[in-house]
Each structure stands twice: as structure tokens, then as C-alpha cells.
Amino acid sequence: MEAAAVLFDGVLLASDYDGTLVGADGISDEVRRAIRFFISNGGRFTVCTGRTLLGFHAYSPEIINAPVVLANGGMTYDYARGEIAAFSGIDDEGIAPLRAVMRALPQVCIEMYPLQKAYAISLSKQSEQHFRIQNISFETVADPADAPKPWAKVMLSGNSDDIQRAQQVLSSYPQVSFLPTNANFLEVLGKGVNKGAAIAALASSLNITSDNVYAIGDSYNDVAMLRAAHVGFVPSNGNEQARAAGDVIVRSNEDGAVANVIEILARMYGGSYA
């Protein structure tokens, strides 16, 4: 006798963290209930975030049952096993681009993220606050070569003009890619690294087909993920770039965006969630 079909068997839902899964008061009870429903009915739920292994503190097996994509795709970490599932970070090829930034913009802070501790060059109050908010220990160094490698990612911080200029400098170094996350921060990633490539690789490792991969995100760094998903969902308060890349607008992150997605998926797969 064949086993009864499970509603979300073979389905992966990936959610951005800040501004999507969480609201002003964290992950709401409504969202937690919806995720538990999704998981209990066979779904695989994960987070796909710009935060690093050092700065992501929200793992719980109750609401995350797949490896987590970190550093905007630079690393995938299996918290259940306590091991790196995939790594696409930056090694020695990142030294020359960062030195070029240092020469052109000595006032810009460079944050480097290996596995155990963060490292900073030209530490600024902005970056110091960035480390503190995420409870990340860090050390200052004088040169990129002084920081242990590989790095899951690098972040540059400065004023908006600095960030614009840094992009011009980095455009001469095709061995890395870069992603402006807001006017004051620029992420430097491995070549071809983004959330979209990471969730596609994660789905493949879980034997989940591309037509059963869904994603929700609210910002520019979620665009590749939204486009890679079979359906990309965007909270109603997501930014313009995310809204243009997504397929379906759902409730805001302050009003249970992820729960709304799970309600929609339940209907799509022939079930219901109330």
C-alpha cells in the first residue's frame, strides 16, 4: 500500500531574514506557526541572508530544517550537522581588489569575514556599530593579507560617494563580484556568488526540482534569489528592485509575510492553511 502524499513533500521555501522573516519584534508567533505547519507537512524551510555565520543567531530546528544560506550566497551552513555544506567565498584573489580600494579610498572601512572572527581595516564608528549589533567579535589589521582566509564575504562601509567610487574601483577586478546593499555598505563576494545560485545549488543537494523552489525577499540582494525561484514572493513593503524581480506581492513583514506565502503555497498544492 502506497504512503499518502505529503502536502509539501519535495518543496523548498527560502526566506530572506532581515526585513522579510522578521519584523520589529522579531519572528512573530503567526509566522512560527505557519512554518511549523509547512515543515510538519513535508516542506523544507530555510533562511537565505546576507548575515555571516558569525552574525546569524536565529537558527532553531523548530523553524529551519534545511541548511542556511549565509553571506549572500558565500556559504551554506548545515546547523543540524554543525558543518559547512557549501562554500563559495574569497581567497587570495581578493587581496588586490581590496588594496586598490585602500589606495583610492583610505577612509573606507573594510570588513572581512572568515569563519571564527571578523577583521577590519580603517575601522569606522559605522562598522563598529555593525559588528556590535550582530554580536560579532573583531580585530583590526593593516592589510587584507593579515586577515585569515578564506572570507565568506567582505563589506565596505563609507558615505554614499565612497560606495559609488568603490564600485568603480572594483569593476576593474573581475575575479570578485560586488553588491550594494544600501547607500553606505557594499558587499564584495566571490565571482558569480549570489543568493540565486546558492538556493539552486541547495535545492539540487536536497533533490528538490526547480519547479518546487520558492523564495521571499524584500531587497536588492534578494533579486537573484527571486528570479531563480519558481515563484518569487515580495513583502508589500519590499523595495523597488525586489518588487520588480518578484512574481507575487504578499503582506508586509510586519504583518506575517512568510505566513502569507505558506497560505498561498498550501492552496497551490491542493491543501489549506487557516
Side-chain angles (χ1 to χ4, degrees):
M1 183 175 180
E2 292 186 3
V6 179
L7 185 60
F8 297 121
D9 188 35
V11 177
L12 174 66
L13 173 57
S15 173
D16 172 53
Y17 185 68
D18 296 290
T20 302
L21 181 61
V22 301
D25 298 321
I27 305 173
S28 70
D29 290 341
E30 177 193 11
V31 168
R32 290 179 183 275
R33 283 194 299 270
I35 295 172
R36 288 196 297 267
F37 168 81
F38 180 76
I39 290 174
S40 68
N41 282 276
R44 303 297 296 269
F45 183 85
T46 192
V47 169
C48 195
T49 178
R51 291 186 181 235
T52 64
L53 182 62
L54 297 169
F56 183 68
H57 310 291
Y59 171 73
S60 166
E62 178 188 23
I63 58 170
I64 298 173
N65 67 337
V68 173
V69 175
L70 301 164
N72 281 322
M75 175 193 294
T76 300
Y77 192 80
D78 189 333
Y79 284 88
R81 294 175 176 264
E83 62 186 25
I84 296 172
F87 192 86
S88 303
I90 304 171
D91 212 307
D92 287 343
E93 72 275 9
I95 293 176
L98 295 188
R99 284 176 175 166
V101 170
M102 290 175 66
R103 289 192 297 269
L105 297 158
Q107 72 275 22
V108 165
C109 179
I110 300 174
E111 305 172 9
M112 293 154 287
Y113 290 90
L115 300 183
Q116 302 301 324
K117 181 191 290 186
Y119 292 80
I121 298 171
S122 299
L123 181 67
S124 64
K125 289 184 178 179
Q126 183 172 242
S127 281
E128 192 169 5
Q129 182 182 32
H130 187 235
F131 290 134
R132 186 180 302 112
I133 288 172
Q134 297 185 69
N135 194 28
I136 295 174
S137 61
F138 67 92
E139 181 179 323
T140 58
V141 293
D143 185 84
D146 298 332
K149 295 177 293 299
W151 311 315
K153 71 172 184 179
V154 174
M155 288 193 73
L156 310 182
S157 68
N159 63 40
S160 58
D161 289 340
D162 292 338
I163 296 305
Q164 289 291 329
R165 175 66 180 134
Q167 292 178 69
Q168 295 172 9
V169 173
L170 291 171
S171 64
S172 297
Y173 295 88
Q175 66 266 42
V176 296
S177 57
F178 55 88
L179 177 73
T181 50
N182 62 40
N184 301 114
F185 284 97
L186 179 70
E187 305 213 359
V188 185
L189 304 166
K191 183 177 181 180
V193 171
N194 58 62
K195 288 186 177 184
I199 65 162
L202 174 60
S204 178
S205 73
L206 297 173
N207 295 315
I208 293 174
T209 59
S210 60
D211 58 343
N212 284 315
V213 177
Y214 301 89
I216 176 171
D218 73 308
S219 194
Y220 182 83
N221 65 328
D222 298 312
V223 166
M225 176 176 71
L226 294 168
R227 289 176 174 164
H230 181 58
V231 178
F233 298 90
V234 182
S236 60
N237 56 338
N239 73 12
E240 181 179 351
Q241 294 95 335
R243 290 168 65 92
D247 302 296
V248 179
I249 304 299
V250 295
R251 299 194 301 260
S252 79
N253 70 310
E254 298 294 346
D255 195 28
V258 171
N260 195 183
V261 170
I262 291 169
E263 293 166 6
I264 293 169
L265 292 180
R267 292 195 295 270
M268 287 174 58
Y269 283 86
S272 64
Y273 173 72

